[in-house]
Amino acid sequence: MTDTRQVIAYCPGSFDPITHGHLDIIERAAKMFTGVIIAVAADAQKDHLFSLDERVQMCREVCAHLPNVSVEAFSGLLVEAAHQAGASVIVKGLRQSFDLSHEGPMTYMNRSLRPEIETIFLLANPAVTYVSSSLIKWVCGMGGDISPHVPPLVARKLRERLGRAD
Ligand code: PNS
């Protein structure tokens, strides 16, 4: 059996921006594994509100209290980036059943590419099952209060970027 205390976990996503939903998963993974690498996807095909550097920086700042968590950017195949980083587990969060239908095919594909890298899913804390970066950006852009769902630093940056700063 794998000793999970000696395993580095790779936690990938767009993090555009990081939310309390992401933090829930990252903080729990940090308790389970030797180290957790937050892997911020460059993914040039997607339109991001924040640049890659901004997304990485926000992740660094809001995870500064977690000593075994680091942040890096990645591009290309997720399993290759995880392998390069020395991670043997990919950790993702599941909020609702539709997350599983989206994640399932990618998980099987990733396993076929690199069978030695296991993907595990943590069920989201019930309080954050409806929180997503997309909804947060939408609501903030229309002047809604997103402060319960993101760290204060992220709320401030979102309001500035979306022209909703006081
Ligand atoms: O936060 P997101 O946007 O849901 O994250 C998606 C992400 C970055 C995990 C996904 O797009 C991904 O794995 N990208 C890396 C490219 C890759 O490996 N594609 C093949 C997956 S089978």
Side-chain angles (χ1 to χ4, degrees):
M1 195 173 136
T2 307
D3 182 351
T4 55
R5 289 166 301 182
Q6 297 302 320
V7 170
I8 303 294
Y10 212 60
C11 222
S14 301
F15 301 102
D16 186 41
I18 188 166
T19 68
H20 283 324
H22 295 122
L23 272 174
D24 164 45
I25 301 300
I26 292 161
E27 286 173 350
R28 286 159 59 197
K31 289 185 190 144
M32 297 168 64
F33 299 104
T34 317
V36 172
I37 301 170
I38 302 176
V40 183
D43 203 349
Q45 286 160 351
K46 270 194 193 170
D47 278 339
H48 295 113
L49 180 63
F50 294 101
S51 71
L52 181 59
D53 283 351
E54 288 172 322
R55 289 180 281 134
V56 166
Q57 193 53 35
M58 276 189 273
C59 288
R60 286 211 173 108
E61 290 184 35
V62 303
C63 292
H65 63 295
L66 300 168
N68 63 337
V69 173
S70 60
V71 186
E72 69 175 32
F74 83 99
S75 56
L77 283 175
L78 171 62
V79 284
E80 293 310 317
H83 173 73
Q84 287 295 321
S88 53
V89 170
I90 291 168
V91 175
K92 291 186 171 187
L94 282 185
R95 293 163 299 187
Q96 316 268 359
S97 53
F98 56 73
D99 275 349
L100 187 56
S101 51
H102 175 66
E103 295 290 346
M106 289 197 287
T107 300
Y108 290 125
M109 181 58 78
N110 283 334
R111 188 183 297 169
S112 82
L113 292 166
R114 273 207 177 266
E116 74 276 21
I117 296 185
E118 193 65 74
T119 299
I120 67 163
F121 294 96
L122 298 181
L123 277 186
N125 178 332
V128 296
T129 49
Y130 62 97
V131 175
S132 70
S133 300
S134 317
L135 266 188
I136 298 290
K137 286 182 279 192
W138 190 13
V139 169
C140 184
M142 302 189 95
D145 179 19
I146 42 79
S147 59
H149 311 301
V150 291
L153 163 102
V154 175
R156 198 173 63 247
K157 298 230 182 249
L158 270 167
R159 291 190 194 110
E160 282 167 13
R161 183 59 48 91
L162 294 169
R164 291 289 175 176
D166 296 332

